[in-house]
Amino acid sequence: MKGTAFKFGDNISTDHIAPGRLFHLRSDLKEFAKHVLEDADETFASRMKKGDFVVAGNNFGLGSSREHAPQIIKISGVGAVLAKSFARIFYRNAINIGLLAIECDTDGIDAGDELELDIEKGFINNITKGTMISIEPLPPVMIKLLKDGGLVEHIKKHGDIIIPS
């Protein structure tokens, strides 16, 4: 997966991601996604392209358990969220809906860097800088969950969590 990095700092909350003042759009997630991360960068949604990366510091997704936050990130076309750490409930919601959230060192990534992510081999190639960041390769069960569209869709499809042997 390849895309451009959009860099955010620490403590990006669910309100930064899915602005509370627009909560009336929660029944129209495609419309809500047009405002994703608007309170952190008002131009993000209009500049990002399908497959681009949200890159952040510590504690990405803190705040309420608002599941709309990872949903509208995914609907907007973001390829993955790369952060030093995630708020626990945001990370769980991301997995549930099939949004790729990777915990890694993001200090070597700047806004505008072109990145290539390989979740099976476990690396992020910063094409712009010619550097590599190692990540833990995702286990086969996680890759299967993501390909199925998240935990909820996986269970709908298979009736259970299938653990490869």
Side-chain angles (χ1 to χ4, degrees):
M1 150 182 343
K2 289 183 181 179
T4 301
F6 285 83
K7 188 87 181 240
F8 297 88
D10 294 334
N11 301 313
I12 298 297
S13 72
T14 54
D15 207 41
H16 287 108
I17 299 165
R21 71 181 182 292
L22 299 173
F23 206 56
H24 63 281
L25 296 175
R26 70 187 178 277
S27 61
D28 185 352
L29 293 178
K30 287 183 182 178
E31 188 62 31
F32 206 179
K34 293 176 184 176
H35 300 276
V36 67
L37 285 157
E38 187 173 274
D39 284 359
D41 175 351
E42 63 186 24
T43 66
F44 171 74
S46 64
R47 293 185 302 129
M48 68 84 52
K49 294 182 178 34
K50 186 173 174 64
D52 284 345
F53 299 98
V54 168
V55 179
N58 289 300
N59 207 20
F60 187 86
L62 79 145
S64 72
S65 61
R66 196 178 299 173
E67 67 230 11
H68 300 90
Q71 285 176 320
I72 68 172
I73 291 173
K74 182 179 177 183
I75 290 167
S76 75
V78 167
V81 179
L82 313 173
K84 289 182 181 181
S85 66
F86 292 92
R88 184 178 52 90
I89 197 154
F90 176 90
Y91 188 78
R92 186 188 75 206
N93 285 337
I95 290 169
N96 286 347
I97 60 105
L99 173 65
L100 183 55
I102 302 288
E103 208 166 89
C104 62
D105 181 2
T106 58
D107 285 340
I109 303 171
D110 291 320
D113 286 354
E114 291 299 316
L115 306 177
E116 177 184 25
L117 171 63
D118 189 317
I119 58 173
E120 292 179 14
K121 293 180 182 171
F123 70 81
I124 300 165
N125 178 15
N126 187 326
I127 298 165
T128 303
K129 293 184 178 162
T131 58
M132 293 282 238
I133 299 168
S134 291
I135 61 171
E136 280 294 316
L138 290 184
V141 69
M142 283 298 296
I143 292 170
K144 178 126 181 75
L145 288 175
L146 288 167
K147 285 182 179 176
D148 285 344
L151 181 62
V152 173
E153 292 304 314
H154 177 85
I155 290 173
K156 284 180 187 176
K157 185 176 181 179
H158 301 285
D160 202 351
I161 296 177
I162 298 171
I163 309 285
S165 51

